[in-house]
Amino acid sequence: IIPVNFVNITPVIVTNSALFNVRYYLVQADATAGNANNLANLWSYTTATTVYVRVDTTNGCPPAFGQINFTIGNKISLITTNLSVDVCDPDLDGNETVNLNNYKNNFTIDPAVTLSFHTTLADAQNDVNAIANTQVITGISTFFIRFESNNSCTNTAKITLTIKAPKKSDLL
């Protein structure tokens, strides 16, 4: 399932969206008629789909029409989509700073793939609320990674980092 948020697409279609009423339809005749069979702002598709666009102005000019062809391509190939890593806490303070980019090669060896990091799977899938690649972890920390490339569709994965404290030696 590929989620689409038309609120994010409308500003790409018209430069000042407040001056226009942009509606999206699955049937061209519905777009031409301008009826109420338009798609909701949050929509998803599972196969290649054409969406018809109707743009009405607020000043009474004739509507403009277009179409968007949504396709499904191959996702970025990942070595794994779920990685668990123990992180050593050498100073025994219960936390450790990690650079999440350092784990990229556990997921992909493609240098063209870029990563963003998120605290929820939904945020990673929707490409919102990215967090910094450098994080201070305590206990068990879970992050979601969004992988992007110009050559493939996005993919996501999960990484769980667990702080492991070494045993303090009484002899050393």
Side-chain angles (χ1 to χ4, degrees), residues 39-160:
L39 299 170
N41 282 335
L42 297 176
W43 172 75
S44 62
Y45 66 102
T46 57
T47 62
T49 305
T50 298
V51 171
Y52 300 93
V53 183
R54 178 186 176 109
V55 179
D56 292 298
T57 65
T58 57
N59 64 7
C61 291
F65 300 94
Q67 71 182 47
I68 304 170
N69 297 315
F70 290 95
T71 60
I72 295 179
N74 294 323
K75 286 187 174 184
I76 294 169
S77 179
L78 297 178
I79 298 164
T80 185
T81 58
N82 192 354
L83 180 67
S84 295
V85 178
D86 290 338
V87 177
C88 187
D89 179 17
D91 56 6
L92 304 173
D93 65 353
N95 66 65
E96 194 63 29
T97 301
V98 296
N99 182 340
L100 297 172
N101 280 319
N102 291 342
Y103 300 99
K104 177 181 179 179
N105 288 340
N106 294 96
F107 295 97
T108 180
I109 56 171
D110 185 345
V113 172
T114 59
L115 283 60
S116 61
F117 305 99
H118 306 265
T119 57
T120 69
L121 177 59
D123 284 354
Q125 290 170 331
N126 293 306
D127 197 19
V128 296
N129 302 320
I131 60 173
N133 60 299
T134 301
Q135 294 290 314
V136 176
I137 61 168
T138 59
I140 299 172
S141 299
T142 301
F143 302 97
F144 296 88
I145 308 168
R146 179 182 177 92
F147 299 86
E148 295 186 55
S149 167
N150 290 333
N151 304 321
S152 301
C153 294
T154 61
N155 206 347
T156 57
K158 177 172 106 172
I159 184 168
T160 303

